[in-house]
Amino acid sequence: MIYLDSAATTKPCREAADAIMNTMQESFGNASSLHKMGIISEKVITGAKRTLLSKLGEGDIIFTSGATESSNTAIMGAAEIYRRTGNRIVTTAIEHPSVANVMNKLEERGFEVVRLAPKNHPDFEQALADAVDEHTLLLSCMAVNNETGFIVDVKRLYKLVKKKNPKTIVHIDAVQGFLKVPLDGDLISISGHKIHSSKGIGALFIRKGIRISPLLLGGGQQKNLRSGTEPVELIAGLDAAVKAYHGTAERFGGLKARLLAGLSELSGITVNSGDNCVPNIVNFSVEGVRSEIMLHSLEEREIYVSSGSACSRGKTSGVLAAFGIPDKLADSAIRVSMCAETTEEEIDALLDGIKAGIERFRR
Ligand code: PLP
């Protein structure tokens, strides 16, 4: 099996799996319990927070069920608290549905939502900051796009936005960027299953001094910001996965170069991931072979990739269009996403599979 779909989800690493199992067996207490078992669980949570804060900055962490919940909490929670500072929200046309659909909801509720597409703005960070005005309560932007690997320099963006309006809250969806690119933001969403931890766990970084209102009401856990008994075993798994993470830009860069060199020898290939992209995600289109056909052709060889354009019920997300990629290319786009365990041999097997798919299916 050759798994090249790590932007969809990653294989949990041994360290995370062991931490989850050990915690389930030995530290299964409710972190709210006052006895020793509760205190042990509380310590697991505090340790995981420390690990995440060492990567994200000065502030607090709340653990969630995943990045979808983190971003819903961040955006809805900030909109509620900071509504009096303005009615305008700036975001992008390339967001994951976990952000894009929250924006649609806020628009229905009367907020003005401005969405910028990279194809119209060569200096994307500057354009986003320029769109911020004195009525802008929130800016939400992803650090790395999940379909193409496109990087937004969110450190620069953060500085530019705060210069324009220090009151604007900056939310970053860092699901594909965490541990891969430098991050900055008032609120940062991350997801466990994209970094070799389990599904069902995510986190939201809340910078010191930033307030949000909770999405979930209940027992008041996590300082009232996210009620519900903390999944201490999944939190331990996330902690372990972050500590064990060993993907490097150098290694991914070598694999990407090998993939691109191989693709350049095939006819009718268009690479959709430009230079400003993380090296672990490569999106390309294969002329004359629709995405699903190539995907299943590769699957026959036990090679797993994604169609390059995230689809929902047969409709493309429109994200590739926001990069200026025509529909015809989007229809035949393939996304290859690597992890630290990906090998050169796997890339070579993928290239063989694409060549065979072209010979068999190109029309
Ligand atoms: N944001 C981005 C950029 C993603 O790629 C994904 C998952 O594909 C999500 C958010 C949602 O993350 P989760 O599955 O943890 O809810």
Side-chain angles (χ1 to χ4, degrees):
M1 192 258 278
I2 298 179
Y3 186 76
L4 292 169
D5 201 13
S6 288
T9 197
T10 54
K11 180 178 175 188
C13 62
R14 169 60 41 208
E15 290 84 347
D18 286 348
I20 291 169
M21 189 59 101
N22 292 340
T23 310
M24 280 178 101
Q25 312 260 290
E26 282 151 34
S27 333
F28 54 84
N30 185 321
S32 299
S33 294
L34 297 178
H35 50 68
K36 190 173 159 195
M37 287 300 283
I39 292 164
I40 293 172
S41 289
E42 187 58 40
K43 275 196 180 143
V44 171
I45 296 172
T46 311
K49 275 191 186 180
R50 210 176 302 123
T51 303
L52 292 181
L53 288 174
S54 73
K55 307 278 178 197
L56 293 168
E58 208 187 334
D60 205 355
I61 295 288
I62 58 169
F63 293 101
T64 63
S65 60
T68 298
E69 186 190 325
S70 299
S71 293
N72 271 257
T73 304
I75 298 167
M76 289 293 191
E80 192 164 322
I81 296 275
Y82 296 99
R83 185 162 203 161
R84 66 189 182 288
T85 66
N87 192 48
R88 182 177 162 99
I89 300 176
V90 175
T91 188
T92 81
I94 57 167
E95 296 303 315
H96 184 270
S98 56
V99 167
N101 286 332
V102 184
M103 293 300 170
N104 295 343
K105 181 59 79 185
L106 287 176
E107 205 165 36
E108 277 168 33
R109 292 184 185 168
F111 287 89
E112 180 200 4
V113 178
V114 180
R115 300 171 183 82
L116 270 60
K119 70 171 177 184
N120 301 326
H121 304 284
D123 186 346
F124 200 46
E125 294 85 6
Q126 187 64 58
L128 285 164
D130 287 347
V132 168
D133 65 10
E134 71 269 32
H135 306 296
T136 306
L137 78 139
L138 177 73
L139 175 136
S140 179
C141 178
M142 60 188 1
V144 170
N145 179 260
N146 49 304
E147 296 191 35
T148 62
F150 177 76
I151 301 169
V152 178
D153 181 346
V154 294
K155 267 185 135 24
R156 175 171 175 243
L157 177 67
Y158 188 76
K159 277 204 195 84
L160 291 172
V161 171
K162 292 292 169 177
K163 205 169 142 199
K164 190 82 186 290
N165 182 352
K167 287 195 179 140
T168 301
I169 304 298
V170 177
H171 166 249
I172 302 299
D173 172 352
V175 168
Q176 303 290 349
F178 182 54
L179 305 177
K180 299 193 177 78
V181 296
L183 295 173
D184 211 348
D186 294 320
L187 299 163
I188 303 178
S189 303
I190 68 162
S191 174
H193 73 101
K194 309 286 184 174
I195 53 160
H196 303 281
S197 185
S198 67
K199 294 165 194 66
I201 186 72
L204 178 66
F205 165 77
I206 306 173
R207 184 186 281 266
K208 201 168 172 220
I210 301 297
R211 294 192 307 128
I212 52 165
S213 70
L215 203 62
L216 299 184
L217 304 175
Q221 289 91 340
Q222 306 204 57
K223 297 180 191 148
N224 239 338
L225 290 174
R226 203 284 189 174
S227 284
T229 303
E230 297 91 333
V232 62
E233 52 276 80
L234 302 186
I235 293 170
L238 175 59
D239 189 5
V242 173
K243 286 179 179 150
Y245 187 81
H246 58 284
T248 64
E250 291 69 36
R251 208 180 124 63
F252 289 135
L255 294 167
K256 178 176 177 177
R258 193 176 185 93
L259 174 58
L260 293 184
L263 289 175
S264 72
E265 285 172 16
L266 306 177
S267 68
I269 302 282
T270 306
V271 178
N272 301 316
S273 299
D275 292 339
N276 182 32
C277 288
V278 285
N280 55 300
I281 300 178
V282 183
N283 188 310
F284 56 91
S285 297
V286 183
E287 192 187 305
V289 187
R290 293 196 52 225
S291 306
E292 295 84 63
I293 304 282
M294 182 58 87
L295 188 151
H296 292 304
S297 163
L298 291 169
E299 186 187 16
E300 283 174 14
R301 296 174 171 236
E302 293 196 38
I303 300 173
Y304 302 110
V305 298
S306 267
S307 63
S309 172
C311 295
S312 158
R313 297 198 191 94
K315 262 182 74 184
T316 59
S317 64
V319 166
L320 292 188
F323 285 109
I325 296 165
D327 286 353
K328 203 165 172 347
L329 287 181
D331 281 348
S332 63
I334 291 291
R335 179 188 69 184
V336 171
S337 49
M338 307 176 232
C339 74
E341 314 311 328
T342 303
T343 62
E344 292 186 346
E345 291 70 31
E346 289 178 327
I347 297 296
D348 293 345
L350 169 72
L351 287 162
D352 286 345
I354 291 166
K355 196 167 171 221
I358 292 174
E359 279 163 13
R360 197 165 145 206
F361 294 110
R362 179 168 276 165
R363 285 187 293 119

